[in-house]
Amino acid sequence: MTKKVKNPASKLAIGLAFSCISVILNTGIASEISLAKSSNSQKCDIFAYVTDTDLQGLNVRSGASTNNVIIGQIPIKETVQVIGAAGNWVQITNASNGFQGTGWVFVPKLGLTTRGYGTNGVDFYASSSQKSQKLKRIPANTAVKLLGCQGDWAQVEYQGIKGWLTREEQCGAALTSCS
């Protein structure tokens, strides 16, 4: 048996509640809230370059999902500053060319190169700490796949192995060396 609501203020409150829920679900805000809660969002401060070969450029989105609006593009090999990470997405700003502003890009479309010029390579760590195990050395000036970031550490993949590079060993410029 259902109970009828007789108070006009209660009817208005119930109507507003259903309207708000409808707006949240239909505008994608719910997925943003869910993403924020479900992913461990990290603050970052690294540089990377665009590896996406799409002639229109790498899509920059308003949020960390393909459900979000495309707000710009960045051409291949342009440098971006990565300021945050959530799952397979990174928040970028300060693109060297193309999109100006802040937005989100799919992290597999970005890359880094190692530094270590004039040496036998750079150390590759098991976690974002120089006290962690060194997994191997990566040759100097070698392109690696960016996976994510934490602070000024970059999580990368090299020869199928996932590990971390210190800021000093990262080069986020595709067209020049970072010497």
Side-chain angles (χ1 to χ4, degrees):
M1 176 177 219
T2 60
K3 189 176 182 181
K4 288 193 174 193
V5 178
K6 293 183 180 178
N7 183 341
S10 294
K11 285 182 181 179
L12 179 62
I14 291 169
L16 284 172
F18 281 118
S19 295
C20 288
I21 291 168
S22 177
V23 166
I24 287 171
L25 293 175
N26 290 322
T27 61
I29 294 172
S31 64
E32 289 300 313
I33 293 168
S34 172
L35 176 69
K37 287 182 180 177
S38 66
S39 63
N40 250 343
S41 186
Q42 298 285 330
K43 288 195 181 288
C44 300
D45 185 18
I46 66 169
F47 290 88
Y49 55 84
V50 175
T51 59
D52 187 1
T53 56
D54 186 326
L55 295 178
Q56 293 184 3
L58 173 61
N59 289 334
V60 180
R61 295 187 179 268
S62 61
S65 164
T66 55
N67 294 330
N68 292 100
V69 176
I70 296 171
I71 56 176
Q73 282 89 23
I74 305 170
I76 189 170
K77 299 191 185 207
E78 294 301 324
T79 299
V80 297
Q81 182 179 7
V82 179
I83 59 173
N88 288 331
W89 292 82
V90 290
Q91 188 176 31
I92 58 97
T93 191
N94 298 330
S96 58
N97 190 14
F99 176 76
Q100 296 300 307
T102 301
W104 291 84
V105 299
F106 191 51
V107 75
K109 304 292 184 176
L110 297 176
L112 293 172
T113 303
T114 60
R115 289 187 185 209
Y117 314 115
T119 69
N120 64 348
V122 301
D123 290 325
F124 188 44
Y125 294 91
S127 68
S128 57
S129 167
Q130 288 181 312
K131 294 179 181 177
S132 69
Q133 175 188 358
K134 291 179 185 176
L135 299 174
K136 69 183 319 179
R137 290 191 64 81
I138 302 175
N141 200 27
T142 300
V144 293
K145 180 179 175 181
L146 183 64
L147 301 174
C149 52
Q150 184 176 346
D152 60 1
W153 285 77
Q155 184 181 30
V156 299
E157 183 175 334
Y158 174 69
Q159 294 183 338
I161 300 171
K162 297 175 184 176
W164 295 84
L165 291 175
T166 66
R167 178 193 268 299
E168 296 77 31
E169 304 300 358
Q170 306 165 25
C171 179
L175 302 175
T176 63
S177 70
C178 293
S179 56

